[in-house]
Amino acid sequence: MSTLLERRGTPKESPPCFQPEQLPDAQQVFQEGGLAAVANQLGVATEFQALQALGMALFLPVIDLSQESPEKSLLEGFPLRLIHRFGIFPIRRTEGSLQIVLSNPFDVRAVDAVAAATGCFVSAAIALPHEVAGLIKTHLGVGAQTLDGLIAQNADDESELEILGDLSLEDSEAAAMAQQASVVRLVNDILTEAVTARASDIHMEAQATGMKIRYRIDGVLQNQPVPPELNRFQAAILSRLKIMARLNIAEKRVPQDGRIKLRISGREVDIRVSIIPMLHGEGVVMRVLDKDAMKFSLSGIGMEQQTCERFRELIRMPHGIVLVTGPTGSGKTTTLYSSLAEIRSERNKIITTEDPIEYQLEGINQIQVNHKVGLTFASCLRSILRHDPDVVLVGEIRDFETAENAIQASLTGHMVFSTLHTNDSAGAFMRLNDMGVEPFLISSTVEGVMAQRLVRRLCVHCREAYMPSAEEIPSDFPESVYQSGSPVYRSKGCRQCRGTGYSGRLGIYELLVTNDEIRGLAAEKRGTAAIRRAAVDAGMMTLRQDGWLKVARGETSIDEVLRVTRAD
């Protein structure tokens, strides 16, 4: 093929452009490799610049959808089937005329089809294909294309989602319905969209009005728009998920738990499935574990430098217990995994016992708890000590037996990591006391306690600087930051962050290092308040103080710190 694209003048004088006779070749390049291929051939840095070149050649205006917010009312009376068929969306409407945005600049059939269906004069503009697709999902919901019956491929067709492992298919009407091409594709759409949106959980709830889907993104549940036709597919969707999780599709009276292993766009993803019968049908919650998205590193989870250095000293001690505390979903497992990744080497043996094993770590021996056969944390721990470990991780200390075995392991020269459910670091000592552990054993073995929470990170694309009023400032906000006149940031919302104002999460931490005074207080069975005061006097930064530091740096907002912490 001869040179496809040429420039008119230098880059500063005018943007790159096509010669008219080159448009057929440009169309072929677009169909084979999309805008990225066109940008590569044209020699420009971004797909948007390539789109502008196509717009000039085809005399079509270019729209930046990241700056546009078309109203949902534009869809009233618009033929939805054409949206999915051509990858288009109505962008403006006036009396007797309609403007649509195309994801394929060369698909002129869309204009004729919309004009014939609506009876309006139709004009076209072009936009980046992935932004048009995002607009469609925002207004019509995940899986709408499948439900509209516009996907004519079979279940065996090539897809971005691949189920790892064999499925056993039952010979029943429910199984046959669940294997229909449209149902398979619909479930794939729901799972793929969750991974793309960085969701940690998928909630599918049976309501009196039909099925409701919510994704937990950055720790907060967000409703997903779904087309109303989804309701008649509810039974088939549940059956499909049960087949994928290798559960009994005929059983609808008792809870069931399973696991799905997928490969989505080349990434391995584990999904833990929990199904519980409820008033209006079965409810499903799926925990999404994206292995490739997790990078376990103490330097990457948001610890302040001083806290990180002291914690690194703790985890390298020859023996003792280090506890990580916080509510469910506060990132305790990530902190522990990051700690193990930091200290693992060929010279030490690390064994973990977990319920469940969320991520597989290279060079670390992991044991899955199985209560059905009596393999509990306590029994695992007793057996682990006969395998000559240097470091032991116990997923959670839940009872006296597990706590006692962990303390014995530390007394016999092992380093033990574990988690507890307490509100702050000082509360760990009383929690162990409540389990029945002798105070002198607690004081002599616990070397440090890390309490943590997760706050949402402000979206760097749309965060907004402002000067809060005196009424907006919490009473314990650092005066030095407020009086300095430096602005803080708050959430705003844009297309990049799906309108939430936040993208990703980071941890806030409170590290209590056990000194002689705290050991004495623990041995005397003194209360949490006394231990906390001693820790603060010794230089401990509280959760709240750590949160305010991140607010001052513009990493999170005041609202987020207030949401997950209480005043000191």
PDB file of all heavy atoms in Angstrom, residues 284-315:
ATOM      1  N   VAL A 284     -27.683 -12.300  44.782  1.00  0.00           N
ATOM      2  CA  VAL A 284     -26.322 -12.721  44.449  1.00  0.00           C
ATOM      3  C   VAL A 284     -25.344 -11.600  44.787  1.00  0.00           C
ATOM      4  O   VAL A 284     -25.588 -10.436  44.451  1.00  0.00           O
ATOM      5  CB  VAL A 284     -26.188 -13.064  42.951  1.00  0.00           C
ATOM      6  CG1 VAL A 284     -24.784 -13.579  42.642  1.00  0.00           C
ATOM      7  CG2 VAL A 284     -27.235 -14.084  42.534  1.00  0.00           C
ATOM      8  N   VAL A 285     -24.263 -11.957  45.464  1.00  0.00           N
ATOM      9  CA  VAL A 285     -23.149 -11.033  45.662  1.00  0.00           C
ATOM     10  C   VAL A 285     -21.886 -11.726  45.185  1.00  0.00           C
ATOM     11  O   VAL A 285     -21.605 -12.865  45.580  1.00  0.00           O
ATOM     12  CB  VAL A 285     -22.996 -10.596  47.138  1.00  0.00           C
ATOM     13  CG1 VAL A 285     -21.734  -9.756  47.304  1.00  0.00           C
ATOM     14  CG2 VAL A 285     -24.206  -9.803  47.583  1.00  0.00           C
ATOM     15  N   MET A 286     -21.149 -11.043  44.318  1.00  0.00           N
ATOM     16  CA  MET A 286     -19.919 -11.608  43.767  1.00  0.00           C
ATOM     17  C   MET A 286     -18.741 -10.712  44.115  1.00  0.00           C
ATOM     18  O   MET A 286     -18.751  -9.517  43.803  1.00  0.00           O
ATOM     19  CB  MET A 286     -20.044 -11.753  42.243  1.00  0.00           C
ATOM     20  CG  MET A 286     -21.060 -12.807  41.825  1.00  0.00           C
ATOM     21  SD  MET A 286     -21.295 -12.895  40.035  1.00  0.00           S
ATOM     22  CE  MET A 286     -22.502 -11.567  39.813  1.00  0.00           C
ATOM     23  N   ARG A 287     -17.748 -11.267  44.787  1.00  0.00           N
ATOM     24  CA  ARG A 287     -16.511 -10.547  45.099  1.00  0.00           C
ATOM     25  C   ARG A 287     -15.540 -10.733  43.930  1.00  0.00           C
ATOM     26  O   ARG A 287     -15.227 -11.863  43.555  1.00  0.00           O
ATOM     27  CB  ARG A 287     -15.915 -11.075  46.408  1.00  0.00           C
ATOM     28  CG  ARG A 287     -14.493 -10.611  46.718  1.00  0.00           C
ATOM     29  CD  ARG A 287     -14.357  -9.135  46.924  1.00  0.00           C
ATOM     30  NE  ARG A 287     -15.218  -8.592  47.942  1.00  0.00           N
ATOM     31  CZ  ARG A 287     -14.877  -8.508  49.231  1.00  0.00           C
ATOM     32  NH1 ARG A 287     -13.694  -8.966  49.635  1.00  0.00           N
ATOM     33  NH2 ARG A 287     -15.703  -7.964  50.099  1.00  0.00           N
ATOM     34  N   VAL A 288     -15.083  -9.621  43.371  1.00  0.00           N
ATOM     35  CA  VAL A 288     -14.198  -9.649  42.197  1.00  0.00           C
ATOM     36  C   VAL A 288     -12.758  -9.507  42.672  1.00  0.00           C
ATOM     37  O   VAL A 288     -12.402  -8.503  43.307  1.00  0.00           O
ATOM     38  CB  VAL A 288     -14.554  -8.513  41.218  1.00  0.00           C
ATOM     39  CG1 VAL A 288     -13.634  -8.555  39.993  1.00  0.00           C
ATOM     40  CG2 VAL A 288     -16.015  -8.609  40.792  1.00  0.00           C
ATOM     41  N   LEU A 289     -11.949 -10.499  42.368  1.00  0.00           N
ATOM     42  CA  LEU A 289     -10.529 -10.476  42.735  1.00  0.00           C
ATOM     43  C   LEU A 289      -9.712 -10.441  41.445  1.00  0.00           C
ATOM     44  O   LEU A 289      -9.521 -11.455  40.785  1.00  0.00           O
ATOM     45  CB  LEU A 289     -10.162 -11.707  43.573  1.00  0.00           C
ATOM     46  CG  LEU A 289     -10.979 -11.905  44.859  1.00  0.00           C
ATOM     47  CD1 LEU A 289     -10.633 -13.228  45.509  1.00  0.00           C
ATOM     48  CD2 LEU A 289     -10.755 -10.757  45.816  1.00  0.00           C
ATOM     49  N   ASP A 290      -9.280  -9.254  41.081  1.00  0.00           N
ATOM     50  CA  ASP A 290      -8.516  -9.061  39.849  1.00  0.00           C
ATOM     51  C   ASP A 290      -7.035  -9.219  40.178  1.00  0.00           C
ATOM     52  O   ASP A 290      -6.386  -8.304  40.683  1.00  0.00           O
ATOM     53  CB  ASP A 290      -8.803  -7.667  39.279  1.00  0.00           C
ATOM     54  CG  ASP A 290      -8.209  -7.472  37.900  1.00  0.00           C
ATOM     55  OD1 ASP A 290      -7.418  -8.336  37.473  1.00  0.00           O
ATOM     56  OD2 ASP A 290      -8.519  -6.462  37.247  1.00  0.00           O
ATOM     57  N   LYS A 291      -6.487 -10.406  39.886  1.00  0.00           N
ATOM     58  CA  LYS A 291      -5.114 -10.708  40.280  1.00  0.00           C
ATOM     59  C   LYS A 291      -4.103  -9.752  39.655  1.00  0.00           C
ATOM     60  O   LYS A 291      -3.171  -9.294  40.300  1.00  0.00           O
ATOM     61  CB  LYS A 291      -4.758 -12.146  39.881  1.00  0.00           C
ATOM     62  CG  LYS A 291      -5.589 -13.198  40.570  1.00  0.00           C
ATOM     63  CD  LYS A 291      -5.183 -14.585  40.103  1.00  0.00           C
ATOM     64  CE  LYS A 291      -6.023 -15.654  40.786  1.00  0.00           C
ATOM     65  NZ  LYS A 291      -5.661 -17.008  40.324  1.00  0.00           N
ATOM     66  N   ASP A 292      -4.291  -9.452  38.376  1.00  0.00           N
ATOM     67  CA  ASP A 292      -3.308  -8.629  37.675  1.00  0.00           C
ATOM     68  C   ASP A 292      -3.348  -7.169  38.119  1.00  0.00           C
ATOM     69  O   ASP A 292      -2.394  -6.422  37.907  1.00  0.00           O
ATOM     70  CB  ASP A 292      -3.538  -8.703  36.158  1.00  0.00           C
ATOM     71  CG  ASP A 292      -3.245 -10.091  35.597  1.00  0.00           C
ATOM     72  OD1 ASP A 292      -2.524 -10.850  36.286  1.00  0.00           O
ATOM     73  OD2 ASP A 292      -3.719 -10.421  34.502  1.00  0.00           O
ATOM     74  N   ALA A 293      -4.460  -6.740  38.713  1.00  0.00           N
ATOM     75  CA  ALA A 293      -4.576  -5.344  39.141  1.00  0.00           C
ATOM     76  C   ALA A 293      -3.906  -5.100  40.489  1.00  0.00           C
ATOM     77  O   ALA A 293      -3.658  -3.957  40.858  1.00  0.00           O
ATOM     78  CB  ALA A 293      -6.046  -4.929  39.216  1.00  0.00           C
ATOM     79  N   MET A 294      -3.605  -6.174  41.238  1.00  0.00           N
ATOM     80  CA  MET A 294      -3.046  -6.025  42.577  1.00  0.00           C
ATOM     81  C   MET A 294      -1.529  -6.046  42.537  1.00  0.00           C
ATOM     82  O   MET A 294      -0.925  -6.965  41.996  1.00  0.00           O
ATOM     83  CB  MET A 294      -3.547  -7.156  43.486  1.00  0.00           C
ATOM     84  CG  MET A 294      -5.034  -7.093  43.781  1.00  0.00           C
ATOM     85  SD  MET A 294      -5.543  -5.555  44.579  1.00  0.00           S
ATOM     86  CE  MET A 294      -4.606  -5.624  46.096  1.00  0.00           C
ATOM     87  N   LYS A 295      -0.920  -5.015  43.086  1.00  0.00           N
ATOM     88  CA  LYS A 295       0.528  -4.933  43.232  1.00  0.00           C
ATOM     89  C   LYS A 295       0.811  -4.750  44.719  1.00  0.00           C
ATOM     90  O   LYS A 295       0.475  -3.723  45.298  1.00  0.00           O
ATOM     91  CB  LYS A 295       1.105  -3.770  42.432  1.00  0.00           C
ATOM     92  CG  LYS A 295       0.694  -3.749  40.957  1.00  0.00           C
ATOM     93  CD  LYS A 295       1.235  -4.961  40.201  1.00  0.00           C
ATOM     94  CE  LYS A 295       0.803  -4.910  38.738  1.00  0.00           C
ATOM     95  NZ  LYS A 295       1.150  -6.156  38.012  1.00  0.00           N
ATOM     96  N   PHE A 296       1.410  -5.766  45.343  1.00  0.00           N
ATOM     97  CA  PHE A 296       1.602  -5.727  46.790  1.00  0.00           C
ATOM     98  C   PHE A 296       2.937  -5.083  47.122  1.00  0.00           C
ATOM     99  O   PHE A 296       3.998  -5.670  46.897  1.00  0.00           O
ATOM    100  CB  PHE A 296       1.507  -7.139  47.369  1.00  0.00           C
ATOM    101  CG  PHE A 296       0.162  -7.770  47.186  1.00  0.00           C
ATOM    102  CD1 PHE A 296      -0.013  -8.831  46.312  1.00  0.00           C
ATOM    103  CD2 PHE A 296      -0.938  -7.275  47.849  1.00  0.00           C
ATOM    104  CE1 PHE A 296      -1.256  -9.404  46.133  1.00  0.00           C
ATOM    105  CE2 PHE A 296      -2.188  -7.835  47.678  1.00  0.00           C
ATOM    106  CZ  PHE A 296      -2.345  -8.902  46.815  1.00  0.00           C
ATOM    107  N   SER A 297       2.858  -3.856  47.658  1.00  0.00           N
ATOM    108  CA  SER A 297       4.058  -3.097  48.002  1.00  0.00           C
ATOM    109  C   SER A 297       3.713  -2.126  49.118  1.00  0.00           C
ATOM    110  O   SER A 297       2.733  -1.376  49.016  1.00  0.00           O
ATOM    111  CB  SER A 297       4.582  -2.343  46.775  1.00  0.00           C
ATOM    112  OG  SER A 297       5.509  -1.365  47.143  1.00  0.00           O
ATOM    113  N   LEU A 298       4.502  -2.127  50.186  1.00  0.00           N
ATOM    114  CA  LEU A 298       4.239  -1.220  51.303  1.00  0.00           C
ATOM    115  C   LEU A 298       4.357   0.240  50.868  1.00  0.00           C
ATOM    116  O   LEU A 298       3.649   1.108  51.377  1.00  0.00           O
ATOM    117  CB  LEU A 298       5.214  -1.498  52.444  1.00  0.00           C
ATOM    118  CG  LEU A 298       4.948  -2.738  53.300  1.00  0.00           C
ATOM    119  CD1 LEU A 298       6.011  -2.874  54.375  1.00  0.00           C
ATOM    120  CD2 LEU A 298       3.566  -2.686  53.932  1.00  0.00           C
ATOM    121  N   SER A 299       5.225   0.512  49.904  1.00  0.00           N
ATOM    122  CA  SER A 299       5.415   1.888  49.465  1.00  0.00           C
ATOM    123  C   SER A 299       4.268   2.386  48.596  1.00  0.00           C
ATOM    124  O   SER A 299       4.154   3.578  48.346  1.00  0.00           O
ATOM    125  CB  SER A 299       6.727   2.021  48.688  1.00  0.00           C
ATOM    126  OG  SER A 299       6.738   1.144  47.574  1.00  0.00           O
ATOM    127  N   GLY A 300       3.394   1.466  48.150  1.00  0.00           N
ATOM    128  CA  GLY A 300       2.335   1.856  47.229  1.00  0.00           C
ATOM    129  C   GLY A 300       0.942   1.876  47.818  1.00  0.00           C
ATOM    130  O   GLY A 300      -0.028   2.047  47.080  1.00  0.00           O
ATOM    131  N   ILE A 301       0.817   1.695  49.149  1.00  0.00           N
ATOM    132  CA  ILE A 301      -0.527   1.613  49.734  1.00  0.00           C
ATOM    133  C   ILE A 301      -0.892   2.838  50.560  1.00  0.00           C
ATOM    134  O   ILE A 301      -1.915   2.848  51.230  1.00  0.00           O
ATOM    135  CB  ILE A 301      -0.699   0.334  50.584  1.00  0.00           C
ATOM    136  CG1 ILE A 301       0.338   0.266  51.705  1.00  0.00           C
ATOM    137  CG2 ILE A 301      -0.602  -0.901  49.703  1.00  0.00           C
ATOM    138  CD1 ILE A 301       0.186  -0.937  52.616  1.00  0.00           C
ATOM    139  N   GLY A 302      -0.043   3.879  50.523  1.00  0.00           N
ATOM    140  CA  GLY A 302      -0.432   5.153  51.121  1.00  0.00           C
ATOM    141  C   GLY A 302       0.124   5.456  52.490  1.00  0.00           C
ATOM    142  O   GLY A 302      -0.283   6.446  53.104  1.00  0.00           O
ATOM    143  N   MET A 303       1.071   4.658  52.998  1.00  0.00           N
ATOM    144  CA  MET A 303       1.649   4.948  54.314  1.00  0.00           C
ATOM    145  C   MET A 303       2.560   6.171  54.232  1.00  0.00           C
ATOM    146  O   MET A 303       3.307   6.340  53.277  1.00  0.00           O
ATOM    147  CB  MET A 303       2.475   3.758  54.818  1.00  0.00           C
ATOM    148  CG  MET A 303       1.681   2.608  55.351  1.00  0.00           C
ATOM    149  SD  MET A 303       2.788   1.403  56.125  1.00  0.00           S
ATOM    150  CE  MET A 303       1.690  -0.025  56.189  1.00  0.00           C
ATOM    151  N   GLU A 304       2.495   6.985  55.274  1.00  0.00           N
ATOM    152  CA  GLU A 304       3.453   8.077  55.403  1.00  0.00           C
ATOM    153  C   GLU A 304       4.845   7.485  55.603  1.00  0.00           C
ATOM    154  O   GLU A 304       4.997   6.376  56.129  1.00  0.00           O
ATOM    155  CB  GLU A 304       3.096   8.970  56.592  1.00  0.00           C
ATOM    156  CG  GLU A 304       1.762   9.669  56.461  1.00  0.00           C
ATOM    157  CD  GLU A 304       1.721  10.619  55.286  1.00  0.00           C
ATOM    158  OE1 GLU A 304       2.719  11.342  55.045  1.00  0.00           O
ATOM    159  OE2 GLU A 304       0.691  10.643  54.587  1.00  0.00           O
ATOM    160  N   GLN A 305       5.880   8.210  55.191  1.00  0.00           N
ATOM    161  CA  GLN A 305       7.235   7.668  55.213  1.00  0.00           C
ATOM    162  C   GLN A 305       7.657   7.232  56.615  1.00  0.00           C
ATOM    163  O   GLN A 305       8.226   6.154  56.787  1.00  0.00           O
ATOM    164  CB  GLN A 305       8.223   8.702  54.674  1.00  0.00           C
ATOM    165  CG  GLN A 305       9.658   8.172  54.585  1.00  0.00           C
ATOM    166  CD  GLN A 305      10.601   9.171  53.955  1.00  0.00           C
ATOM    167  OE1 GLN A 305      10.191  10.222  53.476  1.00  0.00           O
ATOM    168  NE2 GLN A 305      11.881   8.837  53.946  1.00  0.00           N
ATOM    169  N   GLN A 306       7.370   8.051  57.620  1.00  0.00           N
ATOM    170  CA  GLN A 306       7.761   7.698  58.987  1.00  0.00           C
ATOM    171  C   GLN A 306       7.041   6.436  59.453  1.00  0.00           C
ATOM    172  O   GLN A 306       7.644   5.544  60.058  1.00  0.00           O
ATOM    173  CB  GLN A 306       7.451   8.864  59.929  1.00  0.00           C
ATOM    174  CG  GLN A 306       7.832   8.593  61.383  1.00  0.00           C
ATOM    175  CD  GLN A 306       7.457   9.749  62.297  1.00  0.00           C
ATOM    176  OE1 GLN A 306       6.922  10.762  61.840  1.00  0.00           O
ATOM    177  NE2 GLN A 306       7.711   9.591  63.590  1.00  0.00           N
ATOM    178  N   THR A 307       5.738   6.341  59.172  1.00  0.00           N
ATOM    179  CA  THR A 307       4.968   5.151  59.548  1.00  0.00           C
ATOM    180  C   THR A 307       5.502   3.925  58.831  1.00  0.00           C
ATOM    181  O   THR A 307       5.645   2.855  59.441  1.00  0.00           O
ATOM    182  CB  THR A 307       3.483   5.355  59.198  1.00  0.00           C
ATOM    183  OG1 THR A 307       2.992   6.520  59.866  1.00  0.00           O
ATOM    184  CG2 THR A 307       2.655   4.152  59.615  1.00  0.00           C
ATOM    185  N   CYS A 308       5.805   4.066  57.545  1.00  0.00           N
ATOM    186  CA  CYS A 308       6.293   2.932  56.756  1.00  0.00           C
ATOM    187  C   CYS A 308       7.635   2.429  57.282  1.00  0.00           C
ATOM    188  O   CYS A 308       7.860   1.219  57.376  1.00  0.00           O
ATOM    189  CB  CYS A 308       6.414   3.358  55.295  1.00  0.00           C
ATOM    190  SG  CYS A 308       6.698   1.994  54.153  1.00  0.00           S
ATOM    191  N   GLU A 309       8.525   3.347  57.652  1.00  0.00           N
ATOM    192  CA  GLU A 309       9.844   2.934  58.160  1.00  0.00           C
ATOM    193  C   GLU A 309       9.713   2.181  59.477  1.00  0.00           C
ATOM    194  O   GLU A 309      10.381   1.162  59.698  1.00  0.00           O
ATOM    195  CB  GLU A 309      10.725   4.169  58.330  1.00  0.00           C
ATOM    196  CG  GLU A 309      11.170   4.781  57.000  1.00  0.00           C
ATOM    197  CD  GLU A 309      11.897   6.096  57.185  1.00  0.00           C
ATOM    198  OE1 GLU A 309      12.007   6.551  58.363  1.00  0.00           O
ATOM    199  OE2 GLU A 309      12.361   6.674  56.189  1.00  0.00           O
ATOM    200  N   ARG A 310       8.851   2.656  60.360  1.00  0.00           N
ATOM    201  CA  ARG A 310       8.668   1.982  61.652  1.00  0.00           C
ATOM    202  C   ARG A 310       7.992   0.623  61.470  1.00  0.00           C
ATOM    203  O   ARG A 310       8.324  -0.340  62.175  1.00  0.00           O
ATOM    204  CB  ARG A 310       7.847   2.869  62.593  1.00  0.00           C
ATOM    205  CG  ARG A 310       8.518   4.191  62.909  1.00  0.00           C
ATOM    206  CD  ARG A 310       7.706   5.013  63.882  1.00  0.00           C
ATOM    207  NE  ARG A 310       7.786   4.476  65.239  1.00  0.00           N
ATOM    208  CZ  ARG A 310       7.128   4.985  66.274  1.00  0.00           C
ATOM    209  NH1 ARG A 310       6.327   6.029  66.095  1.00  0.00           N
ATOM    210  NH2 ARG A 310       7.239   4.445  67.473  1.00  0.00           N
ATOM    211  N   PHE A 311       7.053   0.553  60.524  1.00  0.00           N
ATOM    212  CA  PHE A 311       6.376  -0.723  60.276  1.00  0.00           C
ATOM    213  C   PHE A 311       7.350  -1.737  59.668  1.00  0.00           C
ATOM    214  O   PHE A 311       7.285  -2.937  59.995  1.00  0.00           O
ATOM    215  CB  PHE A 311       5.179  -0.502  59.352  1.00  0.00           C
ATOM    216  CG  PHE A 311       4.273  -1.700  59.225  1.00  0.00           C
ATOM    217  CD1 PHE A 311       3.566  -2.180  60.316  1.00  0.00           C
ATOM    218  CD2 PHE A 311       4.128  -2.370  58.014  1.00  0.00           C
ATOM    219  CE1 PHE A 311       2.732  -3.281  60.214  1.00  0.00           C
ATOM    220  CE2 PHE A 311       3.298  -3.469  57.892  1.00  0.00           C
ATOM    221  CZ  PHE A 311       2.597  -3.923  58.999  1.00  0.00           C
ATOM    222  N   ARG A 312       8.240  -1.275  58.793  1.00  0.00           N
ATOM    223  CA  ARG A 312       9.243  -2.175  58.214  1.00  0.00           C
ATOM    224  C   ARG A 312      10.150  -2.750  59.297  1.00  0.00           C
ATOM    225  O   ARG A 312      10.563  -3.908  59.227  1.00  0.00           O
ATOM    226  CB  ARG A 312      10.079  -1.429  57.168  1.00  0.00           C
ATOM    227  CG  ARG A 312       9.378  -1.269  55.818  1.00  0.00           C
ATOM    228  CD  ARG A 312      10.358  -0.767  54.766  1.00  0.00           C
ATOM    229  NE  ARG A 312       9.789  -0.899  53.441  1.00  0.00           N
ATOM    230  CZ  ARG A 312       9.452   0.128  52.660  1.00  0.00           C
ATOM    231  NH1 ARG A 312       9.626   1.372  53.102  1.00  0.00           N
ATOM    232  NH2 ARG A 312       8.950  -0.077  51.459  1.00  0.00           N
ATOM    233  N   GLU A 313      10.467  -1.942  60.310  1.00  0.00           N
ATOM    234  CA  GLU A 313      11.272  -2.449  61.423  1.00  0.00           C
ATOM    235  C   GLU A 313      10.522  -3.539  62.185  1.00  0.00           C
ATOM    236  O   GLU A 313      11.111  -4.555  62.594  1.00  0.00           O
ATOM    237  CB  GLU A 313      11.635  -1.297  62.366  1.00  0.00           C
ATOM    238  CG  GLU A 313      12.577  -0.269  61.756  1.00  0.00           C
ATOM    239  CD  GLU A 313      12.792   0.920  62.680  1.00  0.00           C
ATOM    240  OE1 GLU A 313      12.269   0.887  63.828  1.00  0.00           O
ATOM    241  OE2 GLU A 313      13.467   1.883  62.258  1.00  0.00           O
ATOM    242  N   LEU A 314       9.211  -3.331  62.372  1.00  0.00           N
ATOM    243  CA  LEU A 314       8.406  -4.307  63.109  1.00  0.00           C
ATOM    244  C   LEU A 314       8.356  -5.652  62.396  1.00  0.00           C
ATOM    245  O   LEU A 314       8.544  -6.707  63.023  1.00  0.00           O
ATOM    246  CB  LEU A 314       6.979  -3.777  63.296  1.00  0.00           C
ATOM    247  CG  LEU A 314       6.705  -2.791  64.415  1.00  0.00           C
ATOM    248  CD1 LEU A 314       5.247  -2.390  64.398  1.00  0.00           C
ATOM    249  CD2 LEU A 314       7.068  -3.394  65.773  1.00  0.00           C
ATOM    250  N   ILE A 315       8.076  -5.637  61.082  1.00  0.00           N
ATOM    251  CA  ILE A 315       7.860  -6.905  60.378  1.00  0.00           C
ATOM    252  C   ILE A 315       9.160  -7.682  60.184  1.00  0.00           C
ATOM    253  O   ILE A 315       9.118  -8.874  59.836  1.00  0.00           O
ATOM    254  CB  ILE A 315       7.172  -6.676  59.012  1.00  0.00           C
ATOM    255  CG1 ILE A 315       8.057  -5.856  58.075  1.00  0.00           C
ATOM    256  CG2 ILE A 315       5.816  -6.028  59.212  1.00  0.00           C
ATOM    257  CD1 ILE A 315       7.458  -5.649  56.701  1.00  0.00           C
TER     258      ILE A 315
END
